Amino acid sequence: TGIAATIARPNILALQPYRCARDDYSTGILLDANENAIGPTSLPTNSLESKDNHLSLERYPCPYQITLKTAYANYRHESLEAKNVFVGVGSDEAIDLLMRIFCKPGIDEIMITPPTYGMYNVCANVNDVGIVKVPLTEDFDLRIPEMLEAVTDKVKLMFVCSPGNPTCKAIPLSDILLLANSPLYKGLIIVDEAYVDFSTTHKSAVELIQSHPNIVVLQTLSKAFGLAGIRCGFALGYPDVIQLMNNVKAPYNVNKLTSEVANNAMRNISTLQKNIAVLLEEREKVRVRLEDMEFVVKVFPSDSNFLLVRMKMLSKEVYTAMADAGIVVRYRGSELHCEECLRITIGTEEENKACLVMLVKIYNELSAAK
């Protein structure tokens, strides 16, 4: 029963999940998984001792990650439990799994709202899933009537990136509810919240999960937590959806090194909050400086750790010249509603100052030569 049973592919519902060795036993003399019990060939570079193998790296990791799931659920919302959490290799694994579970190749479709995160398009193409595009307004708001009008029985997943990439704008929960409560759409609404911790004015959609089985929220440790290198992301939703994701994932998708760092992060929320405060302060400084530049047409309001900046001209040339000189921002001018736009991530105070100095220098040089 539930929405998962209603829209998932029949072969997924009938799937018998792969039973790995750790499904049965995880302690004792373990001679069941063809591991190398002699020990690992190498250890993390900065282990305190040359023989520090406290993670028992010769053994497979826990396939369930219950400790991490419980800690993350407790951190995100009091109503959530481990059964509401899928943990995987960044948010991208969750995006791919959702398409594999709910979209029949060559038949079903997803809906996206350009300009948006490019991996939705990539994953859909890899999985032979159609793409329905309902662009955002020029102010980067959802066009909800048009989205609902474009819905067909084939649309199984509706991706809403909030805060958006590259738009840096959060979508109000009232808009998410209009989609979730509409009788016109029977599929899942996937709210991708990679940047949600940088939003000071909008709440996370996790608070809607218990009342709305058709909402799945994607989050990650790559942004605010500063842990892009460990590749750890989450999907939060109703247990029936999360269970199917756990059934389909690879048995040991989260490695022990990632798990240890992620669990440590959940015990260090004070550092997370401090780092977010620093980044938000820097974001404001950079915004003010950019708005004072005569060649900057607009700095879009940001709920993220980056700014979308529209220049009068030469944005692509400026991007290339800056990268050649050693400071790399992102050119977004080829995306819808992003003409002449650069996306600038907020870095350290020193990095931000260097970026702004170079931006002015290179623009002046290029415009003088034009």
Side-chain angles (χ1 to χ4, degrees), residues 75 197-198 223-227 261 264-280:
Y75 170 64
D197 296 298
F198 300 108
K223 307 301 180 182
F225 282 86
L227 293 172
V261 175
N264 287 343
M266 301 317 301
R267 294 190 287 269
N268 205 14
I269 299 302
S270 60
T271 298
L272 167 70
Q273 294 168 338
K274 180 184 70 176
N275 291 347
I276 291 172
V278 170
L279 279 166
L280 293 181

Side-chain angles (χ1 to χ4, degrees), residues 8 14 16 18 50 56 61 63 65 116 189 250 282 295 305 316-318 320 355:
Q16 292 296 316
Y18 173 80
S50 60
S56 300
Q65 299 294 325
T116 192
I189 296 151
E282 283 298 307
F295 57 86
N305 68 331
K316 191 168 187 178
E317 293 84 351
V318 168
T320 301
C355 177

Side-chain angles (χ1 to χ4, degrees), residues 91 94-95 98 111 116-117 120 142 157-164 169-173 175-177 179-180 188-196 202-209 212 214-220 234-237:
S91 300
I95 293 168
L98 287 165
M111 181 179 291
T116 192
Y117 182 42
Y120 311 142
L142 294 180
L157 305 174
M158 185 182 285
F159 285 89
V160 177
C161 195
S162 177
K169 184 173 186 176
I171 302 298
L173 292 191
D175 282 5
I176 304 298
L177 284 171
L179 296 171
L188 290 174
I189 296 151
I190 315 301
V191 187
D192 191 343
E193 293 187 341
Y195 301 95
V196 70
H202 290 78
K203 294 181 179 180
S204 167
V206 295
E207 68 179 55
L208 306 178
I209 288 172
H212 292 79
N214 56 343
I215 291 178
V216 176
V217 178
L218 305 183
Q219 296 181 345
T220 180
F234 303 88
L236 303 104

Side-chain angles (χ1 to χ4, degrees), residues 231-257:
R231 305 304 298 128
C232 185
F234 303 88
L236 303 104
Y238 236 58
D240 60 341
V241 174
I242 299 303
Q243 185 59 57
L244 286 183
M245 297 181 74
N246 287 327
N247 291 352
V248 175
K249 76 173 182 67
Y252 305 111
N253 61 328
V254 178
N255 70 72
K256 287 185 175 183
L257 301 174

Side-chain angles (χ1 to χ4, degrees), residues 147-159:
M147 291 173 71
L148 293 174
E149 185 178 341
V151 162
T152 68
D153 290 341
K154 294 181 178 180
V155 177
K156 296 301 194 293
L157 305 174
M158 185 182 285
F159 285 89

